Amino acid sequence: MIYLKKIFFILGIFVFVPLFLSVQAASLNFDKTTVTAVNGGTFQIAVTVDPGSDALNSVDAYVSFDTNLLKATAVASGTLFSTVSNDISTAGKVYIAGMVDDPASSVSSAGTVATITFQALKDGSGSLSFDCNTSKIIKNDINASNVIVCSANGTSAVTIGSGGTAPTSAPPSQLPQTGIFDNVIKFAVPGAILFLIGVIVKLALI
């Protein structure tokens, strides 16, 4: 009975502790996990933050995208932070910063930091993601701790037009026939195994 209790305790650690940590994680996300648009058209996608169990003072979000597929044209501020700024001048990156004006008015609920407008440049598919080497979620504490959990950050799959077509080839009209050598091997291997077993048994009886 004692051993069973230990086993259940260990299983509980592996099951419930990761689940608890994932719920508490501070992370960046998009309001859409998939986006479709026509070639030459535009679409909007919101950058959101989930503080988890923390209260936040600011967010620095760097959104990465394929410059051959998309072009960032504008960023509109969300309502979660009192001050929001952005930079779309760097190729392949959109920088969004949100911050509170007063540390006493920290953010403790999930919401939209800003909304990005993208223009589709050609048919194809790609994704939007957060560069976690530079993105930060800053906690409202004396050390301004970065509490972002990269593994909890979201991504969004983007499809423009048809999404591109993969090269295809016509299926063969007839499957190739198995060669004579393959048939010999197929029957020879089991025979060889049986022969070896017979030799071993014979030697054991000597």
Side-chain angles (χ1 to χ4, degrees):
M1 183 64 69
I2 294 176
Y3 290 108
L4 286 176
K5 289 182 179 179
K6 288 183 178 180
I7 291 172
F8 284 123
F9 177 75
I10 293 172
L11 287 175
I13 290 175
F14 281 102
V15 172
F16 292 107
V17 170
L19 180 62
F20 175 79
L21 292 175
S22 65
V23 170
Q24 302 300 312
S27 58
L28 295 169
N29 216 319
F30 299 102
D31 67 331
K32 304 180 185 75
T33 56
T34 59
V35 179
T36 57
V38 297
N39 188 358
T42 61
F43 65 88
Q44 287 75 42
I45 190 165
V47 172
T48 65
V49 62
D50 185 349
S53 59
D54 295 310
L56 309 179
N57 276 350
S58 65
V59 166
D60 290 304
Y62 286 83
V63 178
S64 300
F65 62 94
D66 183 354
T67 55
N68 294 316
L69 187 68
L70 302 172
K71 176 183 178 181
T73 59
V75 177
S77 301
T79 58
L80 189 63
F81 289 96
S82 49
T83 299
V84 179
S85 59
N86 69 85
D87 182 5
I88 59 175
S89 62
T90 302
K93 289 284 179 67
V94 174
Y95 170 61
I96 298 171
M99 64 192 72
V100 297
D101 293 335
D102 180 7
S105 302
S106 57
V107 170
S108 57
S109 60
T112 299
V113 183
T115 299
I116 309 172
T117 299
F118 284 102
Q119 180 181 8
L121 301 180
K122 68 173 186 178
D123 285 8
S125 59
S127 64
L128 302 174
S129 61
F130 295 100
D131 183 350
C132 210
N133 293 320
T134 50
S135 297
K136 297 178 181 178
I137 300 177
I138 303 301
K139 183 179 179 180
N140 180 23
D141 64 7
I142 192 171
N143 298 316
S145 304
N146 180 19
V147 293
I148 192 170
V149 178
C150 294
S151 60
N153 287 345
T155 60
S156 183
V158 179
T159 302
I160 307 301
S162 63
T165 55
T168 58
S169 57
S173 58
Q174 185 177 4
L175 293 175
Q177 297 294 322
T178 303
I180 296 175
F181 180 76
D182 292 336
N183 286 326
V184 171
I185 293 295
K186 181 171 65 176
F187 291 107
V189 171
I193 293 173
L194 291 174
F195 174 76
L196 289 174
I197 293 174
V199 172
I200 293 171
V201 172
K202 186 175 181 180
L203 292 175
L205 294 175
I206 294 174

